[in-house]
Amino acid sequence: MNTHHLHTQHQRTFEGNRFVYPVLSRRSKGLSVGVNLNPDKICNFDCIYCQVDRRTESEVRFVESDRYFHELEEMLDLCASGEIFHTAKFAETPPHLRRVNDIAFSGDGEPTTYKNFDDLIERSAEIKRKHGLDDVKMVLITNATMFHRPHVQRGLEILDANQGEIWAKLDAGTAEYYRTIERTKIPFQRVLDNLLLAAKLRPIVIQSMFLKLLGESPNAEEIAAFCDRLNEITQGGGQIKLVQVYTVARKPAESIVTPLEDFEVDAIAQAVRDRTGLPAEVYYGSSDY
């Protein structure tokens, strides 16, 4: 899938907002209203490809819920009316992308670590309904590490009732490669267990970032192991509706990370299709990543 130049512009600010930011998303195929639940930049992963520079402190330390809800109200007003496409940033949006696809909970860290995650999801769903955007999805972009917690499970149930979709990270097939890419102390098995837990209750999307590290692409054994992990989820009763195979499109904080070539992304996606029978979409990098 080709990359429009606006796809590389995912700044977490818009017209002075702190928590709500619109982006033209290549995976959403339209406008995505982003929600940053981690303005403090704290995350339980330290992914080697992340574009967030965690070496500098953020000016905002926590989510001010009243301000967040106000920003979401204003943003959905702009989106529902179409006025968003008259702003300087989005005036060049191609006609086929002038649609609001989702509200995406993501940002500068893992959104499910937010202590009132379920309450915030519930209120956000109410605001979405108020603006007549029932068909707009609510997408959770997550590393799945907190799915076992009761208040997170409640938040996922609220998502299910409001056009929700879980995009869960799985960037590795082996624990060793997982530690290299995600740079976390959280066990790989917890992620795998939580993916299965969630996928047993609703179809999920798997989002998988593959990259070159010091010029080296993941080897064939790692890709085969990745496919094995997907098969374990489906064989365990989990539902995977789609696997997103993508590479670096925006410059990471770490200079040792670079995008895969297009043919390499295609090959991984084809391996997923051949070894798992699951549908896979590809998203290429860009020359100005």
Side-chain angles (χ1 to χ4, degrees), residues 60-194:
V60 182
R61 302 300 299 170
F62 59 92
V63 175
E64 303 160 27
S65 56
D66 288 344
R67 176 162 180 162
Y68 158 66
F69 295 135
H70 176 71
E71 289 181 6
L72 184 61
E73 290 265 15
E74 286 193 332
M75 186 59 62
L76 294 187
D77 276 340
L78 284 173
C79 292
S81 67
E83 289 182 44
I84 187 74
F85 298 112
H86 297 291
T87 63
K89 182 174 181 179
F90 294 101
E92 295 181 33
T93 302
H96 70 285
L97 296 178
R98 292 193 173 213
R99 56 183 291 273
V100 182
N101 184 75
D102 59 59
I103 301 170
F105 298 88
S106 177
D108 293 339
E110 169 51 38
T112 59
T113 58
Y114 182 70
K115 63 179 180 179
N116 296 321
F117 174 76
D118 51 346
D119 295 333
L120 186 140
I121 294 294
E122 186 169 43
R123 176 68 179 130
S124 299
E126 291 172 358
I127 293 173
K128 180 173 80 88
R129 290 195 299 270
K130 172 185 171 183
H131 286 78
L133 298 173
D134 290 2
D135 292 337
V136 171
K137 293 190 293 187
M138 297 179 71
V139 175
L140 174 65
I141 300 176
T142 174
N143 61 27
T145 55
M146 298 292 145
F147 284 0
H148 58 290
R149 294 189 172 181
H151 77 284
V152 174
Q153 292 179 2
R154 179 174 178 270
L156 299 184
E157 291 170 358
I158 296 168
L159 281 173
D160 292 340
N162 290 277
Q163 287 289 96
E165 194 167 82
I166 296 171
W167 292 7
K169 175 193 299 293
L170 183 63
D171 301 328
T174 63
E176 181 181 10
Y177 193 67
Y178 161 83
R179 287 192 297 270
T180 298
I181 299 300
E182 321 296 12
R183 299 189 299 192
T184 179
K185 294 182 180 179
I186 296 174
F188 188 37
Q189 192 60 49
R190 184 201 289 184
V191 173
L192 298 174
D193 290 345
N194 280 353

Side-chain angles (χ1 to χ4, degrees), residues 191-254:
V191 173
L192 298 174
D193 290 345
N194 280 353
L195 289 174
L196 178 57
L197 178 68
K200 280 184 173 181
L201 298 176
R202 83 278 289 167
I204 66 172
V205 173
I206 297 292
Q207 50 161 358
S208 302
M209 165 70 82
F210 292 100
L211 49 85
K212 289 184 181 180
L213 182 58
L214 292 170
E216 293 293 325
S217 304
N219 60 36
E221 290 76 14
E222 185 62 36
I223 300 306
F226 168 75
C227 294
D228 290 343
R229 303 294 82 77
L230 296 176
N231 282 329
E232 287 168 1
I233 293 170
T234 55
Q235 290 166 5
Q239 307 166 76
I240 298 175
K241 65 191 299 184
L242 178 67
V243 181
Q244 297 175 340
V245 178
Y246 63 113
T247 191
V248 179
R250 303 185 299 280
K251 191 170 185 178
E254 298 284 359

